[in-house]
Amino acid sequence: PPTAVSLVGFKAKANGDGSVTLAWETASEVDNAGFNIYRSKRTDGTYKKLNGKLIPAQGNGASGASYSFEDTPGRGTFYYKLEDVDENGVSAMHGPVKVRVRSAEGEARRR
């Protein structure tokens, strides 16, 4: 079945303080309940759900929305997946996207 969400993009950006900003945008959302974010240390590894409750949908069938989620995973390379969940509990996974996080102290020493 088609997914409830038409995804424009899903990105992960490492910040200088050791955190990661995940950002995604939808073109449209039909009967979308919301989103879940998952993280793993390997692209084909076990992914752990990061958000305690569903990130609520903001868009609708006529228009999409922009979203962001902050994570502080520590130092290393991480992979993230985005799951959209519709009103009937049907879900679709997007990603993974890869990001490399360096410690804030390490970045400061190199300058």
Side-chain angles (χ1 to χ4, degrees):
T3 64
V5 170
S6 175
L7 193 66
V8 174
F10 175 44
K11 298 177 182 177
K13 179 182 172 242
N15 302 310
D17 62 359
S19 68
V20 172
T21 300
L22 300 163
W24 64 100
E25 184 179 348
T26 62
S28 65
E29 302 176 32
V30 178
D31 298 327
N32 184 33
F35 299 92
N36 290 311
I37 299 286
Y38 297 84
R39 179 183 68 216
S40 178
K41 287 192 171 197
R42 294 175 29 158
T43 186
D44 59 352
T46 302
Y47 283 78
K48 178 186 174 192
K49 184 175 153 185
L50 300 180
N51 51 304
K53 58 183 178 179
L54 205 61
I55 299 165
Q58 305 285 324
N60 57 47
S63 66
S66 295
Y67 301 86
S68 67
F69 183 88
E70 294 288 325
D71 185 30
T72 309
R75 188 173 177 201
T77 300
F78 300 94
Y79 298 86
Y80 291 91
K81 286 186 178 182
L82 174 70
E83 177 185 39
D84 67 72
V85 182
D86 76 9
E87 299 287 347
N88 298 312
V90 177
S91 67
M93 283 289 197
H94 308 275
V97 293
K98 177 182 175 180
V99 66
R100 182 170 176 164
V101 181
R102 294 179 173 91
S103 69
E105 298 81 29
E107 290 296 316
R109 270 190 237 121
R110 272 192 228 116
R111 291 182 189 165

Coordinates of all heavy atoms in Angstrom, one line a residue, residues 3-99:
T3 N 2.4 4.8 1.1 CA 2.7 5.4 2.4 C 1.8 6.6 2.5 O 1.4 7.2 1.6 CB 4.1 5.7 2.6 OG1 4.5 6.7 1.7 CG2 5.0 4.5 2.4
A4 N 1.6 7.0 3.8 CA 0.8 8.2 4.1 C 1.5 9.5 3.9 O 0.9 10.5 3.8 CB 0.3 8.1 5.6
V5 N 2.8 9.3 3.7 CA 3.7 10.5 3.6 C 4.5 10.6 2.3 O 5.0 9.6 1.9 CB 4.7 10.5 4.8 CG1 5.7 11.6 4.7 CG2 3.9 10.7 6.1
S6 N 4.5 11.7 1.7 CA 5.4 12.0 0.6 C 6.6 12.8 1.1 O 6.4 14.0 1.4 CB 4.6 12.8 -0.5 OG 5.5 13.1 -1.6
L7 N 7.7 12.1 1.3 CA 8.9 12.7 1.9 C 9.7 13.4 0.9 O 10.1 12.9 -0.1 CB 9.7 11.6 2.6 CG 10.8 12.0 3.6 CD1 10.2 12.7 4.8 CD2 11.6 10.8 4.0
V8 N 10.0 14.7 1.2 CA 10.9 15.5 0.3 C 12.4 15.2 0.6 O 13.2 15.1 -0.3 CB 10.6 17.0 0.5 CG1 11.6 17.9 -0.3 CG2 9.2 17.3 0.1
G9 N 12.7 15.1 1.9 CA 14.1 14.9 2.3 C 14.2 14.5 3.8 O 13.3 14.9 4.6
F10 N 15.3 13.8 4.1 CA 15.6 13.4 5.5 C 17.1 13.5 5.6 O 17.9 12.9 4.9 CB 15.1 12.0 5.7 CG 15.5 11.4 7.1 CD1 15.4 12.2 8.2 CD2 15.9 10.1 7.1 CE1 15.7 11.6 9.5 CE2 16.3 9.5 8.4 CZ 16.2 10.3 9.5
K11 N 17.6 14.4 6.5 CA 19.0 14.7 6.7 C 19.4 14.7 8.2 O 18.6 14.9 9.0 CB 19.3 16.1 6.1 CG 19.1 16.3 4.7 CD 19.3 17.7 4.2 CE 19.0 17.8 2.8 NZ 19.1 19.2 2.3
A12 N 20.7 14.3 8.4 CA 21.3 14.4 9.7 C 22.5 15.3 9.6 O 23.3 15.2 8.7 CB 21.7 13.0 10.1
K13 N 22.7 16.2 10.6 CA 23.8 17.1 10.6 C 24.4 17.1 12.0 O 23.7 17.3 13.0 CB 23.3 18.6 10.3 CG 24.4 19.6 10.4 CD 23.8 21.0 10.1 CE 24.8 22.0 10.3 NZ 24.5 22.9 11.4
A14 N 25.7 16.9 12.0 CA 26.5 16.9 13.3 C 26.7 18.4 13.7 O 27.2 19.2 12.8 CB 27.8 16.2 13.2
N15 N 26.5 18.7 14.9 CA 26.7 20.1 15.4 C 28.1 20.1 16.2 O 28.5 19.1 16.6 CB 25.6 20.5 16.3 CG 24.3 20.5 15.5 OD1 24.2 21.0 14.4 ND2 23.3 19.8 16.1
G16 N 28.6 21.3 16.4 CA 29.9 21.4 17.1 C 29.9 21.0 18.5 O 30.9 20.7 19.1
D17 N 28.7 20.9 19.1 CA 28.6 20.6 20.6 C 28.4 19.1 20.8 O 28.1 18.6 21.9 CB 27.5 21.3 21.2 CG 26.1 21.0 20.6 OD1 26.0 20.2 19.7 OD2 25.1 21.6 21.1
G18 N 28.6 18.2 19.8 CA 28.4 16.8 19.9 C 27.0 16.3 19.7 O 26.7 15.1 19.7
S19 N 26.1 17.2 19.4 CA 24.7 16.8 19.1 C 24.5 16.6 17.6 O 25.3 17.0 16.8 CB 23.7 17.9 19.7 OG 23.8 19.1 18.9
V20 N 23.4 16.0 17.3 CA 22.9 15.8 15.9 C 21.6 16.4 15.7 O 20.7 16.2 16.5 CB 22.9 14.3 15.6 CG1 22.3 14.0 14.2 CG2 24.3 13.7 15.7
T21 N 21.4 17.1 14.7 CA 20.1 17.6 14.3 C 19.6 16.8 13.1 O 20.2 16.8 12.1 CB 20.1 19.1 13.9 OG1 20.6 19.9 15.0 CG2 18.7 19.6 13.5
L22 N 18.4 16.2 13.3 CA 17.8 15.5 12.2 C 16.7 16.4 11.7 O 15.9 17.0 12.5 CB 17.2 14.2 12.7 CG 18.2 13.2 13.3 CD1 17.5 12.2 14.2 CD2 19.0 12.5 12.2
A23 N 16.6 16.5 10.4 CA 15.6 17.3 9.8 C 14.9 16.6 8.6 O 15.6 15.9 7.9 CB 16.2 18.7 9.3
W24 N 13.6 16.7 8.5 CA 12.9 16.1 7.4 C 11.7 17.0 7.0 O 11.3 17.8 7.8 CB 12.5 14.7 7.7 CG 11.5 14.5 8.8 CD1 10.1 14.3 8.6 CD2 11.7 14.4 10.2 NE1 9.5 14.1 9.8 CE2 10.5 14.2 10.8 CE3 12.8 14.6 11.0 CZ2 10.4 14.1 12.2 CZ3 12.7 14.5 12.3 CH2 11.5 14.2 12.9
E25 N 11.4 16.9 5.7 CA 10.3 17.7 5.2 C 9.4 16.8 4.4 O 9.8 15.9 3.6 CB 10.9 18.8 4.3 CG 9.9 19.7 3.7 CD 10.5 20.8 2.9 OE1 11.7 21.0 2.9 OE2 9.7 21.5 2.1
T26 N 8.1 17.0 4.5 CA 7.1 16.3 3.7 C 6.4 17.2 2.7 O 6.3 18.4 2.9 CB 6.0 15.7 4.6 OG1 5.3 16.7 5.3 CG2 6.6 14.7 5.6
A27 N 6.1 16.6 1.5 CA 5.3 17.4 0.5 C 3.8 17.3 0.8 O 3.1 18.3 0.6 CB 5.6 16.8 -0.9
S28 N 3.4 16.1 1.3 CA 2.0 16.0 1.7 C 1.9 14.8 2.7 O 2.8 14.0 2.8 CB 1.1 15.7 0.5 OG 1.4 14.4 0.0
E29 N 0.9 14.8 3.5 CA 0.7 13.8 4.5 C -0.8 13.4 4.5 O -1.6 14.3 4.8 CB 1.1 14.2 5.9 CG 2.5 14.7 6.0 CD 2.9 15.2 7.4 OE1 2.4 14.8 8.4 OE2 3.8 16.1 7.4
V30 N -1.1 12.2 4.3 CA -2.5 11.7 4.3 C -2.7 10.7 5.4 O -2.1 9.7 5.5 CB -2.9 11.0 2.9 CG1 -4.3 10.5 2.9 CG2 -2.7 12.0 1.8
D31 N -3.6 11.1 6.4 CA -3.9 10.3 7.5 C -2.6 9.9 8.3 O -2.6 8.8 8.8 CB -4.7 9.0 7.1 CG -6.0 9.3 6.5 OD1 -6.6 10.3 6.9 OD2 -6.5 8.6 5.6
N32 N -1.7 10.8 8.3 CA -0.4 10.5 9.1 C -0.6 10.8 10.5 O -1.0 11.9 10.9 CB 0.7 11.4 8.5 CG 2.0 11.1 9.1 OD1 2.3 10.0 9.5 ND2 2.9 12.1 9.2
A33 N -0.3 9.9 11.4 CA -0.4 10.1 12.8 C 0.9 10.8 13.3 O 0.8 11.7 14.2 CB -0.6 8.8 13.6
G34 N 2.1 10.4 12.8 CA 3.3 11.0 13.2 C 4.5 10.2 12.8 O 4.5 9.4 11.9
F35 N 5.7 10.5 13.5 CA 6.9 9.9 13.2 C 7.7 9.3 14.4 O 7.5 9.8 15.5 CB 7.8 11.0 12.6 CG 7.3 11.6 11.3 CD1 6.5 12.7 11.4 CD2 7.5 11.1 10.1 CE1 5.9 13.3 10.3 CE2 7.0 11.6 8.9 CZ 6.2 12.8 9.0
N36 N 8.6 8.4 14.1 CA 9.5 7.9 15.1 C 10.9 8.0 14.5 O 11.1 7.9 13.3 CB 9.2 6.4 15.4 CG 8.0 6.2 16.2 OD1 7.7 6.9 17.2 ND2 7.1 5.3 15.7
I37 N 11.9 8.2 15.3 CA 13.3 8.2 14.9 C 14.1 7.1 15.6 O 13.9 6.8 16.7 CB 13.9 9.6 15.4 CG1 13.2 10.8 14.9 CG2 15.4 9.6 15.2 CD1 13.5 11.0 13.4
Y38 N 14.9 6.4 14.8 CA 15.7 5.3 15.2 C 17.2 5.6 14.9 O 17.5 6.2 13.9 CB 15.3 4.0 14.5 CG 13.9 3.6 14.8 CD1 12.8 4.2 14.0 CD2 13.6 2.7 15.7 CE1 11.5 3.8 14.3 CE2 12.3 2.3 16.0 CZ 11.2 2.8 15.3 OH 10.0 2.5 15.5
R39 N 18.1 5.0 15.8 CA 19.5 5.2 15.6 C 20.2 3.9 15.8 O 19.8 3.0 16.6 CB 20.0 6.2 16.7 CG 21.6 6.4 16.6 CD 22.1 7.3 17.7 NE 22.0 6.6 19.0 CZ 21.7 7.2 20.1 NH1 21.4 8.5 20.2 NH2 21.6 6.6 21.2
S40 N 21.3 3.7 15.0 CA 22.2 2.5 15.1 C 23.6 2.9 14.9 O 23.9 4.0 14.3 CB 21.8 1.5 14.0 OG 22.6 0.4 14.1
K41 N 24.5 2.1 15.3 CA 26.0 2.3 15.1 C 26.4 1.7 13.8 O 27.5 1.9 13.3 CB 26.8 1.8 16.2 CG 26.7 2.7 17.4 CD 27.8 2.3 18.5 CE 27.7 3.3 19.6 NZ 29.0 3.3 20.4
R42 N 25.5 0.9 13.2 CA 25.8 0.2 11.9 C 24.6 0.3 11.0 O 23.5 0.3 11.4 CB 26.1 -1.3 12.1 CG 27.4 -1.5 12.9 CD 27.6 -3.0 13.2 NE 27.0 -3.8 12.2 CZ 27.4 -5.1 11.9 NH1 28.3 -5.6 12.6 NH2 26.8 -5.8 11.0
T43 N 24.9 0.5 9.7 CA 23.8 0.6 8.7 C 22.9 -0.6 8.7 O 21.7 -0.4 8.6 CB 24.4 0.9 7.3 OG1 23.3 1.2 6.4 CG2 25.1 -0.2 6.7
D44 N 23.4 -1.8 8.9 CA 22.6 -3.0 9.0 C 22.5 -3.5 10.4 O 22.1 -4.7 10.6 CB 23.2 -4.0 8.0 CG 24.7 -4.4 8.5 OD1 25.2 -3.7 9.3 OD2 25.2 -5.4 7.9
G45 N 22.7 -2.7 11.4 CA 22.6 -3.1 12.8 C 21.2 -3.0 13.3 O 20.3 -2.7 12.6
T46 N 21.2 -3.1 14.6 CA 19.9 -3.0 15.4 C 19.6 -1.5 15.6 O 20.5 -0.8 16.1 CB 19.9 -3.8 16.7 OG1 20.2 -5.1 16.4 CG2 18.6 -3.6 17.4
Y47 N 18.5 -1.0 15.2 CA 18.1 0.4 15.4 C 17.3 0.5 16.7 O 16.3 -0.3 16.9 CB 17.3 0.9 14.2 CG 18.2 1.2 13.0 CD1 18.7 0.2 12.2 CD2 18.6 2.5 12.8 CE1 19.5 0.4 11.2 CE2 19.4 2.8 11.7 CZ 19.9 1.7 10.9 OH 20.7 2.0 9.8
K48 N 17.6 1.5 17.5 CA 16.9 1.8 18.8 C 16.0 3.0 18.6 O 16.5 4.1 18.1 CB 17.9 2.1 19.9 CG 17.3 2.4 21.2 CD 18.3 2.8 22.2 CE 17.6 3.3 23.5 NZ 18.5 3.9 24.4
K49 N 14.7 2.9 19.0 CA 13.8 4.1 18.9 C 14.3 5.1 19.9 O 14.5 4.8 21.1 CB 12.4 3.6 19.2 CG 11.4 4.7 19.0 CD 10.0 4.1 19.2 CE 9.0 5.1 19.7 NZ 7.7 4.6 20.0
L50 N 14.3 6.4 19.5 CA 14.8 7.5 20.3 C 13.7 8.3 21.0 O 13.9 8.8 22.1 CB 15.7 8.4 19.5 CG 17.0 7.8 18.9 CD1 17.7 8.9 18.1 CD2 17.8 7.1 19.9
N51 N 12.6 8.5 20.3 CA 11.6 9.3 20.9 C 10.6 8.5 21.7 O 10.3 7.4 21.4 CB 10.8 10.0 19.8 CG 10.3 9.1 18.7 OD1 11.1 8.4 18.1 ND2 9.0 9.1 18.4
G52 N 10.2 9.0 22.9 CA 9.4 8.3 23.8 C 7.9 8.1 23.3 O 7.3 7.1 23.5
K53 N 7.4 9.2 22.6 CA 6.1 9.1 22.0 C 6.1 9.6 20.6 O 7.1 10.3 20.3 CB 5.1 9.8 22.9 CG 5.3 11.3 23.1 CD 4.3 11.9 24.0 CE 4.6 13.3 24.3 NZ 3.6 14.0 25.1
L54 N 5.2 9.3 19.9 CA 5.1 9.7 18.4 C 5.3 11.2 18.3 O 4.7 12.0 19.0 CB 3.7 9.2 17.9 CG 3.6 9.0 16.4 CD1 4.6 7.9 16.0 CD2 2.2 8.6 16.0
I55 N 6.1 11.6 17.3 CA 6.3 13.0 17.0 C 5.0 13.3 16.1 O 4.9 12.8 15.1 CB 7.6 13.2 16.2 CG1 8.8 12.8 17.1 CG2 7.7 14.7 15.8 CD1 10.1 12.7 16.3
P56 N 4.2 14.2 16.6 CA 2.9 14.4 16.0 C 3.0 15.0 14.5 O 3.9 15.8 14.3 CB 2.1 15.4 16.9 CG 3.0 15.7 18.0 CD 4.3 15.0 17.8
A57 N 2.1 14.5 13.7 CA 2.1 15.0 12.3 C 1.6 16.5 12.3 O 0.8 16.9 13.1 CB 1.1 14.2 11.5
Q58 N 2.2 17.3 11.4 CA 1.9 18.7 11.2 C 1.2 19.0 9.9 O 0.6 20.0 9.7 CB 3.1 19.6 11.4 CG 3.9 19.3 12.6 CD 3.3 19.9 13.8 OE1 2.7 21.0 13.8 NE2 3.4 19.2 15.0
G59 N 1.5 18.1 8.9 CA 1.0 18.4 7.5 C -0.4 17.8 7.3 O -1.0 17.2 8.2
N60 N -0.8 17.9 6.0 CA -2.1 17.3 5.6 C -2.0 16.9 4.1 O -0.9 16.9 3.5 CB -3.2 18.3 5.8 CG -3.0 19.6 5.1 OD1 -2.7 19.6 3.9 ND2 -3.2 20.7 5.8
G61 N -3.1 16.4 3.6 CA -3.1 16.0 2.2 C -2.7 17.0 1.2 O -2.2 16.8 0.1
A62 N -3.0 18.3 1.5 CA -2.8 19.4 0.5 C -1.4 20.0 0.7 O -0.8 20.6 -0.2 CB -3.8 20.5 0.7
S63 N -0.8 19.9 1.9 CA 0.5 20.5 2.2 C 1.3 19.7 3.2 O 0.7 18.9 4.0 CB 0.3 21.9 2.7 OG -0.2 21.9 4.0
G64 N 2.6 19.8 3.1 CA 3.5 19.1 4.0 C 3.9 20.0 5.1 O 3.3 21.0 5.4
A65 N 5.0 19.6 5.8 CA 5.5 20.3 6.9 C 7.0 20.0 7.0 O 7.5 19.1 6.4 CB 4.8 19.9 8.2
S66 N 7.7 20.8 7.9 CA 9.1 20.6 8.2 C 9.2 20.2 9.6 O 8.5 20.8 10.5 CB 9.9 21.9 8.0 OG 9.8 22.3 6.6
Y67 N 10.1 19.3 9.9 CA 10.3 18.8 11.3 C 11.8 18.8 11.6 O 12.6 18.7 10.7 CB 9.8 17.3 11.3 CG 8.4 17.1 11.0 CD1 7.9 17.0 9.7 CD2 7.4 17.1 12.0 CE1 6.6 16.8 9.3 CE2 6.1 16.9 11.7 CZ 5.7 16.7 10.3 OH 4.4 16.6 10.0
S68 N 12.1 18.7 12.9 CA 13.4 18.5 13.4 C 13.4 17.8 14.7 O 12.4 17.8 15.4 CB 14.2 19.8 13.5 OG 13.7 20.6 14.5
F69 N 14.5 17.1 15.0 CA 14.7 16.3 16.2 C 16.1 16.4 16.6 O 17.0 16.2 15.8 CB 14.3 14.9 15.9 CG 14.3 14.0 17.2 CD1 13.2 13.8 18.0 CD2 15.5 13.2 17.4 CE1 13.3 13.0 19.1 CE2 15.5 12.4 18.5 CZ 14.4 12.3 19.4
E70 N 16.4 16.6 17.9 CA 17.8 16.7 18.4 C 18.2 15.5 19.1 O 17.4 14.9 19.9 CB 17.9 17.9 19.3 CG 17.7 19.3 18.7 CD 18.9 19.7 17.8 OE1 20.0 19.4 18.1 OE2 18.6 20.4 16.8
D71 N 19.4 15.0 18.8 CA 19.9 13.8 19.5 C 21.3 14.1 20.0 O 22.0 14.9 19.4 CB 19.9 12.6 18.5 CG 20.4 11.3 19.2 OD1 20.1 11.1 20.4 OD2 20.9 10.5 18.5
T72 N 21.8 13.5 21.1 CA 23.1 13.6 21.6 C 23.7 12.2 21.8 O 23.6 11.6 22.8 CB 23.2 14.4 22.9 OG1 22.4 15.6 22.7 CG2 24.6 14.7 23.3
P73 N 24.2 11.6 20.7 CA 24.6 10.2 20.7 C 26.0 9.9 21.3 O 26.3 8.8 21.5 CB 24.5 9.8 19.2 CG 24.9 11.1 18.5 CD 24.3 12.2 19.3
G74 N 26.8 11.0 21.4 CA 28.2 10.7 21.8 C 29.0 10.8 20.5 O 28.6 11.1 19.5
R75 N 30.3 10.4 20.7 CA 31.2 10.4 19.6 C 31.1 9.2 18.7 O 31.0 8.1 19.3 CB 32.6 10.6 20.1 CG 33.6 10.9 19.1 CD 34.9 11.3 19.7 NE 35.9 11.4 18.6 CZ 37.2 11.4 18.7 NH1 37.7 11.1 19.9 NH2 38.0 11.5 17.7
G76 N 31.3 9.3 17.4 CA 31.3 8.2 16.5 C 30.5 8.4 15.3 O 30.0 9.5 15.0
T77 N 30.3 7.3 14.5 CA 29.5 7.3 13.3 C 28.1 6.7 13.6 O 28.1 5.6 14.2 CB 30.2 6.6 12.2 OG1 31.4 7.2 11.9 CG2 29.3 6.6 10.9
F78 N 27.1 7.3 13.2 CA 25.7 6.8 13.5 C 24.8 6.9 12.3 O 25.0 7.6 11.4 CB 25.1 7.7 14.6 CG 25.9 7.7 15.9 CD1 26.8 8.7 16.1 CD2 25.7 6.7 16.8 CE1 27.6 8.7 17.3 CE2 26.4 6.7 18.0 CZ 27.4 7.6 18.2
Y79 N 23.8 6.0 12.3 CA 22.9 5.9 11.2 C 21.5 6.1 11.8 O 21.2 5.6 12.9 CB 22.9 4.5 10.6 CG 24.3 4.2 9.9 CD1 25.3 3.7 10.7 CD2 24.5 4.5 8.6 CE1 26.6 3.5 10.1 CE2 25.8 4.3 8.0 CZ 26.8 3.8 8.8 OH 28.0 3.6 8.3
Y80 N 20.7 6.9 11.1 CA 19.3 7.2 11.5 C 18.3 6.8 10.5 O 18.5 6.9 9.3 CB 19.2 8.7 11.8 CG 20.0 9.2 13.0 CD1 21.3 9.6 12.8 CD2 19.4 9.2 14.2 CE1 22.0 10.1 13.9 CE2 20.2 9.7 15.3 CZ 21.4 10.1 15.1 OH 22.2 10.6 16.2
K81 N 17.2 6.3 11.0 CA 16.0 6.0 10.2 C 14.8 6.8 10.7 O 14.7 7.0 11.9 CB 15.7 4.5 10.2 CG 16.7 3.7 9.4 CD 16.2 2.2 9.3 CE 17.2 1.4 8.5 NZ 16.7 0.0 8.4
L82 N 14.0 7.1 9.8 CA 12.7 7.8 10.1 C 11.5 6.9 9.7 O 11.5 6.3 8.6 CB 12.6 9.1 9.2 CG 11.4 9.9 9.3 CD1 11.2 10.6 10.6 CD2 11.4 11.0 8.2
E83 N 10.6 6.8 10.6 CA 9.4 6.0 10.4 C 8.2 6.9 10.4 O 8.0 7.6 11.4 CB 9.3 4.9 11.5 CG 8.0 4.1 11.4 CD 7.9 3.1 12.6 OE1 8.2 3.5 13.7 OE2 7.4 2.0 12.3
D84 N 7.4 6.8 9.4 CA 6.1 7.5 9.4 C 5.0 6.4 9.7 O 5.1 5.3 9.3 CB 5.8 8.2 8.1 CG 5.6 7.4 6.9 OD1 4.5 6.7 6.8 OD2 6.4 7.4 6.0
V85 N 4.1 6.8 10.6 CA 3.0 5.9 11.1 C 1.7 6.6 10.7 O 1.4 7.7 11.2 CB 3.1 5.7 12.6 CG1 2.1 4.7 13.0 CG2 4.5 5.2 12.9
D86 N 0.8 5.8 10.0 CA -0.5 6.4 9.7 C -1.5 6.1 10.8 O -1.2 5.4 11.8 CB -1.0 6.0 8.3 CG -1.5 4.6 8.2 OD1 -1.7 3.9 9.3 OD2 -1.7 4.1 7.1
E87 N -2.7 6.7 10.6 CA -3.8 6.6 11.6 C -4.2 5.1 11.9 O -4.8 4.8 13.0 CB -5.0 7.4 11.2 CG -4.8 8.8 11.0 CD -4.6 9.6 12.4 OE1 -4.9 9.0 13.4 OE2 -4.1 10.7 12.3
N88 N -3.9 4.2 11.0 CA -4.3 2.8 11.1 C -3.1 2.0 11.7 O -3.2 0.7 11.8 CB -4.7 2.2 9.8 CG -6.0 2.9 9.3 OD1 -7.0 3.1 10.0 ND2 -6.0 3.3 8.0
G89 N -2.0 2.6 12.0 CA -0.8 1.9 12.5 C 0.1 1.3 11.4 O 1.1 0.7 11.8
V90 N -0.2 1.6 10.2 CA 0.7 1.1 9.1 C 1.8 2.1 9.0 O 1.7 3.3 9.1 CB -0.1 1.1 7.7 CG1 0.8 0.7 6.6 CG2 -1.3 0.2 7.8
S91 N 3.1 1.5 8.9 CA 4.2 2.4 8.9 C 5.1 2.1 7.7 O 5.1 1.1 7.1 CB 5.0 2.2 10.2 OG 5.6 0.9 10.2
A92 N 6.0 3.1 7.4 CA 7.0 3.0 6.4 C 8.3 3.6 6.9 O 8.3 4.6 7.6 CB 6.6 3.7 5.1
M93 N 9.4 2.9 6.6 CA 10.7 3.4 7.0 C 11.4 4.2 5.9 O 11.3 3.8 4.7 CB 11.6 2.2 7.4 CG 11.3 1.6 8.7 SD 11.8 2.7 10.1 CE 11.8 1.6 11.4
H94 N 12.2 5.2 6.3 CA 13.0 6.0 5.4 C 14.4 6.1 5.9 O 14.6 6.1 7.1 CB 12.4 7.4 5.3 CG 10.9 7.5 5.0 ND1 10.4 7.4 3.7 CD2 9.9 7.5 5.8 CE1 9.1 7.4 3.8 NE2 8.7 7.5 5.0
G95 N 15.4 6.1 5.0 CA 16.8 6.1 5.4 C 17.4 4.8 5.2 O 16.9 3.9 4.5
P96 N 18.6 4.6 5.7 CA 19.2 5.4 6.8 C 20.0 6.6 6.2 O 20.4 6.6 5.0 CB 20.1 4.4 7.5 CG 20.5 3.4 6.4 CD 19.3 3.3 5.5
V97 N 20.2 7.6 7.1 CA 21.2 8.6 6.8 C 22.3 8.5 7.8 O 22.1 8.0 8.9 CB 20.5 10.0 6.9 CG1 19.5 10.3 5.8 CG2 19.9 10.3 8.3
K98 N 23.5 8.9 7.3 CA 24.7 8.7 8.1 C 25.3 10.0 8.6 O 25.2 11.0 7.8 CB 25.7 7.9 7.2 CG 27.1 7.7 7.9 CD 28.0 7.1 6.8 CE 29.4 6.9 7.4 NZ 30.3 6.3 6.4
V99 N 25.8 10.0 9.8 CA 26.4 11.2 10.3 C 27.6 10.8 11.2 O 27.6 9.8 11.9 CB 25.4 12.1 11.1 CG1 24.9 11.4 12.4 CG2 26.0 13.4 11.5

